[in-house]
Amino acid sequence: MVTLNIKVLGFMLIMLTVCALTNGDENESSSRPPTLVKIVKGKKMCVKDWECNKLSRFCCNLTISDFFETYQFENLFAKRNSPVAHAVGFWDYRSFIIASSLYQPLGFGTTGGKKMQMKEVASFLGHVGSKTSCGYGVATSGPLAWGLCYNKEMSPSQDYCDDYFKLTYPCSPGVQYYGRGALPIYWNYNYGKIGEALNVDLLNHPEYIEQNATLAFQAAIWQWMNPVKKGQPSAHDAFVGNWKPTKNDTLSKRVPGFGTTMNILYGDNVCNQGDVDSMNNIISHYLYFLDLMGIGREEAGPHELLTCAEQKPFNPSSVPAAAS
């Protein structure tokens, strides 16, 4: 199972390398194979080269590499390979694009027009930058330039093994389920659930996340694209506007937008605590990335869409929530 996944990733890596070598800056669009278009039940569906290679309405839109290039990734994570960083040489643009290709046919970075597509990528990577940063107030280039400094928790305080899930996701002897990845994964049940989704044995081998950047990005995007529980929105759906709040959501001050993505991903670790630093740091990364990508922070929307300061959590921390 793991071997198959590695072969697939290897093949995709080769394909991307070939594209990078054969596509010049001026002739990139003309050297790509033409988009395959089909009409299915009256709806336009497309397949677009290796990056969006499943028949999907989303593949009729721009792909992520059409609007987000290597130099932009380097600008967003400018200090990740500094000597004082803790994951030097691990994270790169290629790994992100390959990982995203699994989810672009599902709408990741391919929903809506170009502006919405760019905003979603900035939103997702803003979370990533905040959660993997080793920046601080007087750090060189500022505290927001140090995302992807880590790929794992440096000093775990515990093993993160929850025996409540011993029948479904039993802890492997001697294995620690501390934070790893672009959106750090904690606890055996989260490694088990994400591993099942990616067809990789993360329950017995959580270390795979800190050994393979593409897999680490895949796991993070999976968390972005999937709800914590059935009946709840994913961060993707909350951000791009697919989610329609219920009356209870409205009473709980949960509205579509960036703020609710924090509620979904972190619950009351960040939200419903007022104007706290942990929340503001994530928002600051998102706004900074919007600026660097040429969108501008003014496109982020009003403050009530950015914050979750008064949002009641979908999943209170007293109740275990897989993939949280």
Tab-separated table of all heavy atoms in Angstrom, residues 200-222:
chain	number	residue	atom	x	y	z
A	200	VAL	N	-2.035	5.390	3.167
A	200	VAL	CA	-0.695	5.289	3.734
A	200	VAL	C	-0.829	4.908	5.212
A	200	VAL	O	-1.685	5.456	5.906
A	200	VAL	CB	0.075	6.624	3.606
A	200	VAL	CG1	1.473	6.496	4.200
A	200	VAL	CG2	0.160	7.067	2.146
A	201	ASP	N	0.006	4.014	5.683
A	201	ASP	CA	-0.104	3.535	7.057
A	201	ASP	C	0.526	4.521	8.038
A	201	ASP	O	1.602	4.280	8.594
A	201	ASP	CB	0.567	2.164	7.189
A	201	ASP	CG	0.372	1.553	8.574
A	201	ASP	OD1	-0.435	2.091	9.360
A	201	ASP	OD2	1.042	0.538	8.865
A	202	LEU	N	-0.157	5.618	8.264
A	202	LEU	CA	0.356	6.625	9.186
A	202	LEU	C	0.145	6.239	10.643
A	202	LEU	O	0.827	6.773	11.526
A	202	LEU	CB	-0.311	7.977	8.914
A	202	LEU	CG	-0.017	8.608	7.548
A	202	LEU	CD1	-0.745	9.941	7.429
A	202	LEU	CD2	1.473	8.788	7.329
A	203	LEU	N	-0.771	5.335	10.909
A	203	LEU	CA	-0.998	4.924	12.292
A	203	LEU	C	0.231	4.210	12.848
A	203	LEU	O	0.616	4.419	13.997
A	203	LEU	CB	-2.227	4.017	12.384
A	203	LEU	CG	-2.688	3.650	13.798
A	203	LEU	CD1	-3.076	4.903	14.593
A	203	LEU	CD2	-3.863	2.674	13.739
A	204	ASN	N	0.844	3.373	12.045
A	204	ASN	CA	2.057	2.678	12.476
A	204	ASN	C	3.329	3.427	12.104
A	204	ASN	O	4.389	3.181	12.691
A	204	ASN	CB	2.104	1.277	11.865
A	204	ASN	CG	1.050	0.361	12.456
A	204	ASN	OD1	0.956	0.204	13.670
A	204	ASN	ND2	0.230	-0.243	11.601
A	205	HIS	N	3.198	4.335	11.138
A	205	HIS	CA	4.386	5.067	10.685
A	205	HIS	C	4.085	6.554	10.525
A	205	HIS	O	4.123	7.097	9.420
A	205	HIS	CB	4.881	4.490	9.352
A	205	HIS	CG	5.343	3.075	9.441
A	205	HIS	ND1	6.563	2.726	9.989
A	205	HIS	CD2	4.736	1.916	9.072
A	205	HIS	CE1	6.700	1.403	9.948
A	205	HIS	NE2	5.599	0.895	9.398
A	206	PRO	N	3.796	7.245	11.618
A	206	PRO	CA	3.541	8.683	11.512
A	206	PRO	C	4.763	9.456	11.026
A	206	PRO	O	4.636	10.573	10.525
A	206	PRO	CB	3.160	9.076	12.940
A	206	PRO	CG	3.790	8.025	13.802
A	206	PRO	CD	3.724	6.758	13.008
A	207	GLU	N	5.942	8.849	11.164
A	207	GLU	CA	7.170	9.526	10.745
A	207	GLU	C	7.221	9.786	9.238
A	207	GLU	O	7.993	10.631	8.766
A	207	GLU	CB	8.406	8.719	11.165
A	207	GLU	CG	8.657	7.430	10.406
A	207	GLU	CD	7.865	6.234	10.933
A	207	GLU	OE1	7.013	6.427	11.821
A	207	GLU	OE2	8.139	5.110	10.459
A	208	TYR	N	6.382	9.065	8.472
A	208	TYR	CA	6.347	9.324	7.026
A	208	TYR	C	6.058	10.795	6.731
A	208	TYR	O	6.531	11.339	5.729
A	208	TYR	CB	5.279	8.463	6.350
A	208	TYR	CG	5.579	6.989	6.264
A	208	TYR	CD1	4.555	6.077	6.009
A	208	TYR	CD2	6.866	6.489	6.440
A	208	TYR	CE1	4.811	4.708	5.918
A	208	TYR	CE2	7.135	5.131	6.363
A	208	TYR	CZ	6.101	4.244	6.104
A	208	TYR	OH	6.357	2.892	6.011
A	209	ILE	N	5.269	11.438	7.572
A	209	ILE	CA	4.889	12.839	7.344
A	209	ILE	C	6.111	13.750	7.393
A	209	ILE	O	6.218	14.708	6.624
A	209	ILE	CB	3.834	13.295	8.375
A	209	ILE	CG1	2.521	12.539	8.162
A	209	ILE	CG2	3.612	14.802	8.302
A	209	ILE	CD1	1.801	12.888	6.877
A	210	GLU	N	7.036	13.463	8.296
A	210	GLU	CA	8.217	14.320	8.414
A	210	GLU	C	9.342	13.880	7.473
A	210	GLU	O	10.413	14.501	7.443
A	210	GLU	CB	8.725	14.348	9.856
A	210	GLU	CG	9.200	13.012	10.375
A	210	GLU	CD	9.555	13.040	11.861
A	210	GLU	OE1	8.642	12.921	12.706
A	210	GLU	OE2	10.762	13.188	12.153
A	211	GLN	N	9.103	12.840	6.697
A	211	GLN	CA	10.105	12.341	5.752
A	211	GLN	C	9.787	12.670	4.302
A	211	GLN	O	10.656	12.543	3.431
A	211	GLN	CB	10.257	10.818	5.902
A	211	GLN	CG	10.795	10.388	7.245
A	211	GLN	CD	10.720	8.874	7.458
A	211	GLN	OE1	10.120	8.146	6.658
A	211	GLN	NE2	11.331	8.403	8.531
A	212	ASN	N	8.562	13.089	4.020
A	212	ASN	CA	8.126	13.290	2.637
A	212	ASN	C	7.271	14.561	2.569
A	212	ASN	O	6.149	14.592	3.080
A	212	ASN	CB	7.321	12.072	2.165
A	212	ASN	CG	6.961	12.133	0.696
A	212	ASN	OD1	6.463	13.136	0.215
A	212	ASN	ND2	7.203	11.046	-0.015
A	213	ALA	N	7.805	15.605	1.954
A	213	ALA	CA	7.103	16.892	1.919
A	213	ALA	C	5.812	16.817	1.124
A	213	ALA	O	4.818	17.466	1.470
A	213	ALA	CB	8.021	17.971	1.342
A	214	THR	N	5.807	16.043	0.040
A	214	THR	CA	4.584	15.909	-0.755
A	214	THR	C	3.481	15.267	0.080
A	214	THR	O	2.338	15.730	0.086
A	214	THR	CB	4.838	15.074	-2.018
A	214	THR	OG1	5.844	15.716	-2.810
A	214	THR	CG2	3.577	14.930	-2.854
A	215	LEU	N	3.815	14.216	0.795
A	215	LEU	CA	2.840	13.561	1.658
A	215	LEU	C	2.372	14.505	2.763
A	215	LEU	O	1.184	14.536	3.104
A	215	LEU	CB	3.450	12.293	2.264
A	215	LEU	CG	2.538	11.460	3.169
A	215	LEU	CD1	1.315	10.961	2.408
A	215	LEU	CD2	3.315	10.277	3.759
A	216	ALA	N	3.281	15.300	3.302
A	216	ALA	CA	2.916	16.253	4.352
A	216	ALA	C	1.930	17.295	3.827
A	216	ALA	O	0.961	17.650	4.506
A	216	ALA	CB	4.171	16.935	4.895
A	217	PHE	N	2.163	17.782	2.608
A	217	PHE	CA	1.216	18.724	2.005
A	217	PHE	C	-0.111	18.033	1.674
A	217	PHE	O	-1.188	18.613	1.828
A	217	PHE	CB	1.803	19.352	0.753
A	217	PHE	CG	2.660	20.562	0.997
A	217	PHE	CD1	3.943	20.635	0.470
A	217	PHE	CD2	2.180	21.640	1.728
A	217	PHE	CE1	4.737	21.759	0.678
A	217	PHE	CE2	2.967	22.768	1.945
A	217	PHE	CZ	4.255	22.825	1.418
A	218	GLN	N	-0.050	16.797	1.215
A	218	GLN	CA	-1.287	16.059	0.937
A	218	GLN	C	-2.142	15.948	2.186
A	218	GLN	O	-3.363	16.143	2.144
A	218	GLN	CB	-0.967	14.658	0.415
A	218	GLN	CG	-0.484	14.599	-1.016
A	218	GLN	CD	-0.135	13.178	-1.438
A	218	GLN	OE1	0.082	12.306	-0.593
A	218	GLN	NE2	-0.082	12.948	-2.729
A	219	ALA	N	-1.514	15.605	3.295
A	219	ALA	CA	-2.245	15.457	4.559
A	219	ALA	C	-2.872	16.785	4.980
A	219	ALA	O	-4.009	16.830	5.466
A	219	ALA	CB	-1.310	14.934	5.645
A	220	ALA	N	-2.140	17.881	4.778
A	220	ALA	CA	-2.661	19.194	5.151
A	220	ALA	C	-3.844	19.595	4.269
A	220	ALA	O	-4.855	20.100	4.763
A	220	ALA	CB	-1.544	20.234	5.050
A	221	ILE	N	-3.717	19.356	2.963
A	221	ILE	CA	-4.810	19.717	2.066
A	221	ILE	C	-6.028	18.830	2.323
A	221	ILE	O	-7.171	19.281	2.231
A	221	ILE	CB	-4.369	19.638	0.588
A	221	ILE	CG1	-3.175	20.568	0.334
A	221	ILE	CG2	-5.519	20.034	-0.343
A	221	ILE	CD1	-2.553	20.427	-1.041
A	222	TRP	N	-5.790	17.576	2.678
A	222	TRP	CA	-6.912	16.696	3.036
A	222	TRP	C	-7.681	17.289	4.218
A	222	TRP	O	-8.912	17.307	4.222
A	222	TRP	CB	-6.420	15.297	3.394
A	222	TRP	CG	-7.538	14.350	3.670
A	222	TRP	CD1	-8.180	13.539	2.782
A	222	TRP	CD2	-8.194	14.133	4.942
A	222	TRP	NE1	-9.183	12.840	3.403
A	222	TRP	CE2	-9.225	13.176	4.724
A	222	TRP	CE3	-8.021	14.642	6.214
A	222	TRP	CZ2	-10.061	12.729	5.759
A	222	TRP	CZ3	-8.856	14.209	7.241
A	222	TRP	CH2	-9.856	13.269	7.007
